[in-house]
Amino acid sequence: MDLLHRPNVKKDWSDHALWWEKKKTWLLKTHWTLDKYGIQADAKLQFTPQHKLLRLQLPNMKYVKVKVNFSDRVFKAVSDICKTFNIRHPEELSLLRKPRDPTKKKKKKLDDQCEDEALELEGPLITPGSGTDVLYIGPVKGNIYSSPGLYSKTMTPTYDSHDGSPLSPTSAWFGDSALSEGNPGILAVSQPITSPEILAKMYKPQALLDKAKINQGWLDSSRSLMEQEVKENEALLLRFKYYSFFDLNPKYDAIRINQLYEQSKWAILLEEIECTEEEMMMFAALQYHINKLSIMSSENHLNNSDKEVDEVDAALSDLEITLEGGKTSTVLGDITSIPELADYIKVFKPKKLTLKGYKPYWCTFKDTSISCYKSKEESNGTPAHQMNLRGCEVTPDVNISGQKFNIKLLIPVAEGMNEIWLRCDNEKQYAHWMAACRLASKGKTMADSSYNLEVQNILSFLKMQHLNPDPQLMPEQITTDINPECLVSPRYLKKYKNKQPGYIRDLITARILEAHQNVAQMSLIEAKMRFIQAWQSLPEFGITHFIARFQGGKKEELIGIAYNRLIRMDASTGDAIKTWRFSNMKQWNVNWEIKMVTVEFADDVRVSFICTEVDCKVVHEFIGGYIFLSTRAKDQNESLDEEMFYKLTSGWV
C-alpha cells in the first residue's frame, strides 16, 4: 500500500491478471465484465503476476530456475521454454510432475531441497540487465526481459556437426537469448555422473506397474499451470514425451540431441528400459567416449570460438548427416520390381507344454508376407506356413557372444496374437530379415528407400556390441579413471555382489574398454547419435504404459501407446496380447462421465478401456499427440499449428 502513496515510485502492473481460485480460472478477457464471468460480490479474486518461478529439471537431470507464464496453456509454455533453449520441435516435449518413490519414507522438505541442489546447474543463467540468476521464458509485457530464442530457418549451420560446438561466438550463438550472458555450453555438453551415490539415490521403477504410475504425472497440455495447481517454485520435469523425433540434425540440434542423449542415458541407468548385458556394456562404452570427448570439445571451443563455415558447403554436407538420411547409394536398383529374400531360416511356433524346437524351412519374404516351405525344391508349390506381417509386433532376441540371432513375431489374428520365432544363422542374414520384418509390420516392403539404411543400422548396432580385447592395451588402460559404477545400471553391479569391490571395478572397466574399441573413432556428435539410435533399437523403446481395465476384462492390464500403435499388454510379464495400428484407426473418443476411452478401427474393430489410476485425458492426449506428430513434413513452415494440436488432444476445444 505504501507504493500508492509514493508518487515517485513507479510499478509496472502489466504482467498482473485476476485469478479466480474457486473456479480455477484466469480472467484474461479484459473486455468482459465481472458479471459476464459469473462473478458474485462474495467471490475472492487474486491480483497476481502471470509469470512465476519454476524449478525446471532438464532431461540431463540438472535444475534451472525459470520464470514461466502460469496463464498460458502448457503446450504454449513448453514452446516458449524450448524456443529460448534453442530446442527445435517443442511439440515432442512436455512437463511431468516429479514421481514419488514408494519404497522410501516421506522425507523432510529440507532433505528434498538438499538432494535437488546437488544437481543444480554450474553457474547461474543470467538475465541481461536484471541482476538476478533467473531465466525468464516467453513473451512478456512491460519491462520484464523476454527472449525469442534463436530458431534457425535457413540452411546456415548453427553447430559444428563433428562435436556439436557453436559455429560462432556465444552471443551470436544464442542471439538475444538470456543464455548468451550465462553458461550456454551446459545445455549442449554432456556432463558425466560424478559419483555412484547420485545414481543410488534416484528412484528406479521396479516393475511395469511402477513405470505406468510415473506416467500419471504428465500435465494437461490444454490447460494452464495454475489450473493444474502447480505452485510457484515447484519442481517440474521437462522431458521428451513423444518418442517420434523429427528431423534430428547435428547442424541445428546440438542442444536437442544432447538433451535427448541425456534422457536416453538416464532411462538406461535407472532401468526404465530393459537391455542385455552386452548392450549395457556398449552403452557404457559410448558414455565413456562421450564424456572424454565432451571435456576435449569444451577445451577446444575455448581456444577456437570463431569458426567460419561456407554456407554452400555446409548445406551440401548437411544432406549427408541427418539422422534419417545418410549417404545414398550411387547405383539405383530396378525400381520396377520389389526386392525379395529367400534363405533357410529356423522357425519355431511356441505352444504350451511343447518340447519341439526350431525346425528349418526354406523361407521367402515377398511384399509383407513370409512363406515357409519344407525345402528349396518345393518353393514353387504350396507353402507349409504363410504369414502376413502387416501390423505385427517385431522384437529382437540377440546374444552376440552366444551367436543367437532370433526374431520374435507376434502376428495379429482374430482371437489375439500368433507367436512365431525366427532364428537366423549369422549377423548379415539377421540384419536383412529383421529390417524386412520391421518394414512389413508398418505395411512397407523392401522397395522402400529406408530398407538399406535399416539394414546398415542393425549391422552397426551389432558391431558395437562385439568384444575385441587387445592384450597390449588392456593392462595399461585398466588404471584409467573410468568410474564404471557411474556407467552401468545397478542391476549389473549386483551380479558381482560376492566379489571384492576392486575386482568388480577392474572387471567391468575391462569390459567397457573392450567395447570402447568399437566406438573409439567416432566423433562426439556421432557417438551421441549412435547412442540414441541404439536406444531406439531396444525392444521396449517408445512404449508409454498405463494401467487399464478393458471392456469385458476381469483384471487390470496395461495399455501401451507407441508412435504408430496401441498395445494391450499383460501387466505382470509385459507380453503383448493384441496390437492395433493407428493407420487402421477410424476415430477415437472419450466418455467423460465414466472415463472410458473408445477407439474404432477398420473392419468394425472396437476397443474400449477405462484408465484406473490416471485421468483418461492423459491417454487421450497421447493418442491425439501421435496423430498430430504424424502430420509433420519437412517442407512445412516451422510454425506450429497449435489449434490443430488442441483439436486432436483436448477433447472439448
Side-chain angles (χ1 to χ4, degrees):
M1 293 298 292
D2 287 343
L3 290 174
L4 299 177
H5 297 92
R6 294 166 62 185
N8 294 328
V9 178
K10 293 184 178 180
K11 174 76 173 177
D12 188 346
W13 302 97
S14 60
D15 188 48
H16 283 60
L18 289 172
W19 166 252
W20 190 3
E21 176 65 31
K22 184 178 180 180
K23 297 290 186 179
K24 303 292 183 193
T25 302
W26 284 96
L27 310 185
L28 299 177
K29 297 177 180 178
T30 54
H31 59 285
W32 279 25
T33 64
L34 294 179
D35 183 60
K36 190 171 182 179
Y37 270 110
I39 295 173
Q40 304 297 321
D42 60 345
K44 291 183 179 181
L45 302 181
Q46 185 180 356
F47 189 53
T48 182
Q50 296 174 68
H51 286 78
K52 300 177 185 294
L53 280 176
L54 271 184
R55 297 187 66 248
L56 197 65
Q57 189 194 62
L58 303 178
N60 63 356
M61 297 294 183
K62 305 295 183 182
Y63 283 86
V64 59
K65 295 176 183 177
V66 297
K67 211 163 196 181
V68 181
N69 193 332
F70 272 51
S71 67
D72 271 343
R73 291 174 172 180
V74 166
F75 185 81
K76 177 66 167 60
V78 171
S79 295
D80 287 337
I81 291 170
C82 291
K83 195 171 288 188
T84 303
F85 287 167
N86 199 21
I87 297 175
R88 295 195 308 153
H89 300 292
E91 67 274 14
E92 297 169 0
L93 297 93
S94 193
L95 297 175
L96 178 70
R97 292 187 189 273
K98 197 173 181 181
R100 295 283 180 186
D101 187 348
T103 63
K104 293 182 180 179
K105 294 180 180 179
K106 288 186 178 180
K107 296 183 178 181
K108 294 180 181 178
K109 194 172 183 180
L110 184 63
D111 293 337
D112 284 334
Q113 288 177 345
C114 291
E115 194 171 310
D116 288 348
E117 284 168 6
L119 295 172
E120 289 286 357
L121 287 171
E122 295 176 8
L125 297 174
I126 306 298
T127 302
S130 71
T132 69
D133 63 347
V134 177
L135 177 63
Y136 291 90
I137 299 295
V140 191
K141 300 175 183 177
N143 62 7
I144 299 177
Y145 180 81
S146 66
S147 163
L150 180 63
Y151 231 31
S152 174
K153 291 190 178 182
T154 68
M155 288 301 292
T156 307
T158 311
Y159 306 102
D160 187 320
S161 62
H162 185 75
D163 63 7
S165 62
L167 287 171
S168 55
T170 302
S171 58
W173 180 22
F174 275 86
D176 295 330
S177 168
L179 295 173
S180 62
E181 293 188 14
N183 189 2
I186 205 76
L187 301 181
V189 178
S190 175
Q191 292 183 314
I193 303 169
T194 53
S195 74
E197 287 73 27
I198 293 176
L199 197 58
K201 287 180 181 178
M202 291 189 174
Y203 172 55
K204 302 172 192 65
Q206 300 298 313
L208 278 172
L209 292 177
D210 296 329
K211 296 176 186 177
K213 288 176 181 178
I214 291 176
N215 293 314
Q216 297 174 15
W218 288 108
L219 295 187
D220 186 340
S221 296
S222 303
R223 297 163 64 208
S224 70
L225 294 170
M226 285 279 275
E227 290 175 74
Q228 299 179 73
E229 301 184 352
V230 175
K231 306 299 182 186
E232 188 167 11
N233 282 315
E234 186 173 334
L236 292 178
L237 318 184
L238 179 68
R239 293 291 185 269
F240 288 88
K241 176 178 180 178
Y242 299 103
Y243 297 96
S244 177
F245 314 124
F246 187 71
D247 189 27
L248 268 180
N249 189 327
K251 292 291 182 66
Y252 308 101
D253 293 323
I255 291 176
R256 182 177 170 218
I257 288 171
N258 185 61
Q259 295 301 321
L260 190 52
Y261 157 70
E262 289 285 349
Q263 183 164 325
S264 60
K265 177 185 80 175
W266 284 103
I268 289 163
L269 291 177
L270 297 178
E271 300 169 5
E272 293 173 6
I273 186 168
E274 299 284 339
C275 66
T276 65
E277 188 169 351
E278 289 174 333
E279 289 165 346
M280 178 59 73
M281 295 308 156
M282 174 200 64
F283 284 123
L286 281 168
Q287 284 182 71
Y288 171 59
H289 188 62
I290 289 167
N291 292 343
K292 283 204 314 178
L293 293 185
S294 295
I295 296 171
M296 293 168 56
S297 175
S298 299
E299 293 172 352
N300 292 340
H301 178 56
L302 290 174
N303 299 326
N304 184 25
S305 61
D306 294 306
K307 300 179 184 177
E308 293 184 2
V309 177
D310 182 88
E311 292 185 22
V312 176
D313 289 343
L316 290 173
S317 61
D318 176 49
L319 297 176
E320 300 177 342
I321 286 181
T322 56
L323 182 63
E324 296 178 331
K327 294 187 178 180
T328 57
S329 173
T330 56
V331 180
L332 289 175
D334 181 3
I335 61 175
T336 62
S337 62
I338 296 177
E340 299 176 3
L341 292 175
D343 209 341
Y344 276 105
I345 300 287
K346 297 181 180 70
V347 180
F348 175 51
K349 295 180 68 176
K351 294 180 180 179
K352 290 182 179 179
L353 304 176
T354 181
L355 297 176
K356 294 182 179 179
Y358 286 90
K359 187 176 181 181
Y361 285 93
W362 177 259
C363 296
T364 61
F365 205 132
K366 297 180 181 180
D367 294 325
T368 60
S369 296
I370 296 177
S371 300
C372 304
Y373 303 89
K374 292 183 178 179
S375 67
K376 183 178 180 180
E377 291 71 28
E378 298 181 17
S379 59
N380 291 325
T382 303
H385 305 287
Q386 193 166 29
M387 41 200 164
N388 191 324
L389 272 54
R390 187 185 293 267
C392 77
E393 288 292 307
V394 184
T395 307
D397 180 28
V398 175
N399 185 302
I400 301 293
S401 57
Q403 288 294 291
K404 182 174 75 171
F405 304 102
N406 293 346
I407 303 170
K408 178 182 177 181
L409 303 174
L410 290 174
I411 303 170
V413 291
E415 62 275 10
M417 305 284 274
N418 270 349
E419 186 174 351
I420 304 289
W421 289 67
L422 307 179
R423 172 167 288 180
C424 300
D425 293 330
N426 52 59
E427 291 183 19
K428 186 176 180 181
Q429 186 186 57
Y430 169 80
H432 283 86
W433 283 78
M434 174 56 97
C437 288
R438 284 178 175 169
L439 286 179
S441 70
K442 303 171 188 176
K444 299 179 180 179
T445 70
M446 286 173 277
D448 191 88
S449 59
S450 62
Y451 173 69
N452 288 329
L453 179 63
E454 183 71 26
V455 172
Q456 292 306 314
N457 284 341
I458 293 170
L459 288 171
S460 174
F461 182 54
L462 296 176
K463 184 180 178 182
M464 286 193 294
Q465 297 178 57
H466 287 182
L467 296 181
N468 301 308
D470 187 334
Q472 295 180 347
L473 295 177
M474 294 304 297
E476 299 174 12
Q477 290 182 318
I478 288 292
T479 60
T480 59
D481 184 19
I482 192 171
N483 208 0
E485 298 94 336
C486 298
L487 299 176
V488 300
S489 69
R491 175 182 304 172
Y492 292 99
L493 294 174
K494 289 177 183 176
K495 289 184 61 176
Y496 307 101
K497 61 183 178 181
N498 296 325
K499 306 291 184 181
Q500 293 295 324
Y503 172 81
I504 298 172
R505 184 184 179 90
D506 289 348
L507 181 64
I508 297 179
T509 298
R511 292 202 59 186
I512 292 173
L513 289 173
E514 287 173 15
H516 179 252
Q517 294 178 60
N518 296 316
V519 302
Q521 302 306 313
M522 292 182 185
S523 68
L524 176 57
I525 206 76
E526 182 187 359
K528 289 180 182 178
M529 296 285 269
R530 287 299 181 93
F531 194 102
I532 295 168
Q533 285 178 329
W535 175 50
Q536 290 174 303
S537 298
L538 296 176
E540 293 182 3
F541 168 78
I543 301 174
T544 305
H545 304 91
F546 297 96
I547 303 171
R549 180 174 283 111
F550 284 82
Q551 193 171 38
K554 296 181 180 179
K555 61 179 182 178
E556 286 189 340
E557 297 173 276
L558 290 177
I559 182 77
I561 305 177
Y563 79 97
N564 61 351
R565 65 201 190 279
L566 289 175
I567 313 165
R568 184 175 182 175
M569 308 173 74
D570 185 287
S572 56
T573 64
D575 291 341
I577 299 172
K578 185 75 175 176
T579 296
W580 302 276
R581 296 271 160 177
F582 288 154
S583 57
N584 295 326
M585 186 168 64
K586 295 167 64 177
Q587 66 175 10
W588 79 99
N589 56 69
V590 179
N591 184 325
W592 299 105
E593 291 185 7
I594 61 174
K595 306 296 184 183
M596 177 175 283
V597 180
T598 300
V599 189
E600 295 182 21
F601 296 89
D603 301 324
D604 296 325
V605 175
R606 186 185 182 96
V607 181
S608 297
F609 57 89
I610 294 174
C611 300
T612 57
E613 295 195 25
V614 66
D615 191 334
C616 60
K617 170 66 171 64
V618 178
V619 176
H620 173 64
E621 186 173 307
F622 261 94
I623 297 172
Y626 275 124
I627 300 301
F628 175 77
L629 297 185
S630 69
T631 65
R632 297 180 295 182
K634 285 190 177 181
D635 56 353
Q636 284 181 336
N637 190 308
E638 285 194 20
S639 61
L640 282 174
D641 187 348
E642 287 188 41
E643 290 308 312
M644 177 58 73
F645 178 84
Y646 297 137
K647 190 176 292 185
L648 288 169
T649 60
S650 65
W652 50 74
V653 175

